[in-house]
Amino acid sequence: MKLCKLALCLSVLLNGCAGLQENVSNGSFNNNQMESGKAQVLNNLDTDDMQPLEASAHFQQHYKNKFSQNGGDANAYAMNKLNPKNRNVNHYVRGLMQDLVSNLQYVNQTTPMMVTSFVYLDSDFSASNLLGNQIAESFIHEIHKFGIPVIDYKATDYIRITKTGDFALSRDFLELKANVKADYVLLGTLTKQQGGVLVNARVVGFESKAVVASAQGFLPADIANSLLNNNLVDGIKLVSK
């Protein structure tokens, strides 16, 4: 009987060691956690048991690793190394996103975010233009790629069918939900300068109003002016009768 118990214990011990060796070889365990006896699988970025800052740090590092594995092409955009003929607003927003990621706090894949139109700093913040709206649209794409859930509050609960098309977006607040839950909002300001537009972007907590990430960039005038308003034909604004 004692021999059977000894054989059983030895078998369990060997199986456990083999599993540990396999996990270590696959890189599933963090060295610091192994030393403290609290090994966890980090590949899935499970942040349920982490503090907000710790979860944000793991999430941020995961994105940086993924970014570097893809060749770090966004740095080329940020440093304006692209052929000028191939540059557009999206490329510069991608560079701004890298700046935001470098100092991002608290935000992770469990904290929904909204994105609003960028407004001119010397305005009353109640109106935007095509450039401010396009920068917001570009950020929605970049944030989604980053892995943060993005809430599109302009989406309606139905599809509106008309003679000119079918629509699920609206700027009429009466057609939208009154309460949309999100933890953070990405917003920003624009400032005209000689030669271009200075862009200031930041992520702000809805409840705390705390800035948890910020970025600054510069859009050359040719890029900022390359957007064409659909009400312009050959540079002339069309006015309906």
Side-chain angles (χ1 to χ4, degrees):
M1 180 65 68
K2 292 183 179 181
L3 290 177
C4 292
K5 290 183 179 180
L6 180 61
L8 179 59
C9 292
L10 182 59
S11 175
V12 172
L13 179 61
L14 290 176
N15 289 335
C17 291
L20 177 61
Q21 183 177 3
E22 180 180 358
N23 287 328
V24 171
S25 63
N26 291 335
S28 299
F29 288 167
N30 179 281
N31 290 333
N32 294 332
Q33 290 177 323
M34 289 180 63
E35 292 174 359
S36 64
K38 298 179 180 178
Q40 294 180 354
V41 177
L42 299 179
N43 291 341
N44 295 329
L45 291 175
D46 185 3
T47 61
D48 292 340
D49 298 327
M50 299 181 182
Q51 296 297 322
L53 273 176
E54 184 183 0
S56 174
H58 283 289
F59 186 60
Q60 186 179 20
Q61 187 59 46
H62 174 72
Y63 178 77
K64 288 181 178 179
N65 293 340
K66 182 179 179 181
F67 171 67
S68 62
Q69 291 172 0
N70 291 334
D73 59 339
N75 282 335
Y77 298 120
M79 294 184 291
N80 302 333
K81 290 184 178 180
L82 286 177
N83 187 320
K85 295 182 180 180
N86 297 328
R87 298 176 190 166
N88 56 43
V89 173
N90 296 334
H91 299 117
Y92 287 86
V93 170
R94 189 172 301 178
L96 284 168
M97 187 65 190
Q98 300 308 311
D99 197 3
L100 282 173
V101 171
S102 67
N103 61 91
L104 187 66
Q105 293 181 308
Y106 299 104
V107 180
N108 55 63
Q109 73 270 33
T110 66
T111 54
M113 182 183 297
M114 294 182 183
V115 182
T116 61
S117 302
F118 280 53
V119 295
Y120 279 95
L121 188 60
D122 57 350
S123 71
D124 61 358
F125 297 163
S126 62
S128 186
N129 63 357
L130 182 58
L131 176 61
N133 289 328
Q134 179 54 52
I135 291 176
E137 292 290 326
S138 299
F139 265 116
I140 290 175
H141 172 65
E142 293 300 328
I143 293 172
H144 176 70
K145 282 174 50 181
F146 183 35
I148 300 172
V150 185
I151 307 299
D152 192 343
Y153 51 87
K154 295 186 294 294
T156 63
D157 292 333
Y158 53 87
I159 297 177
R160 185 173 64 258
I161 301 175
T162 70
K163 294 181 179 180
T164 58
D166 311 322
F167 310 98
L169 294 175
S170 176
R171 292 190 182 277
D172 185 349
F173 72 95
L174 296 176
E175 297 180 337
L176 305 176
K177 286 186 176 181
N179 297 315
V180 181
K181 294 183 179 180
D183 297 323
Y184 298 95
V185 57
L186 188 148
L187 51 87
T189 61
L190 307 172
T191 305
K192 286 185 177 180
Q193 293 186 336
Q194 289 185 351
V197 178
L198 181 63
V199 182
N200 301 285
R202 53 187 174 271
V203 178
V204 179
F206 262 119
E207 293 186 5
S208 66
K209 311 303 179 186
V211 176
V212 298
S214 63
Q216 289 184 321
F218 186 78
L219 280 177
D222 59 327
I223 301 298
N225 297 330
S226 64
L227 300 176
L228 300 177
N229 193 300
N230 65 346
N231 292 324
L232 296 179
V233 174
D234 297 331
I236 300 175
K237 186 174 182 179
L238 301 180
V239 179
S240 60
K241 295 182 180 180

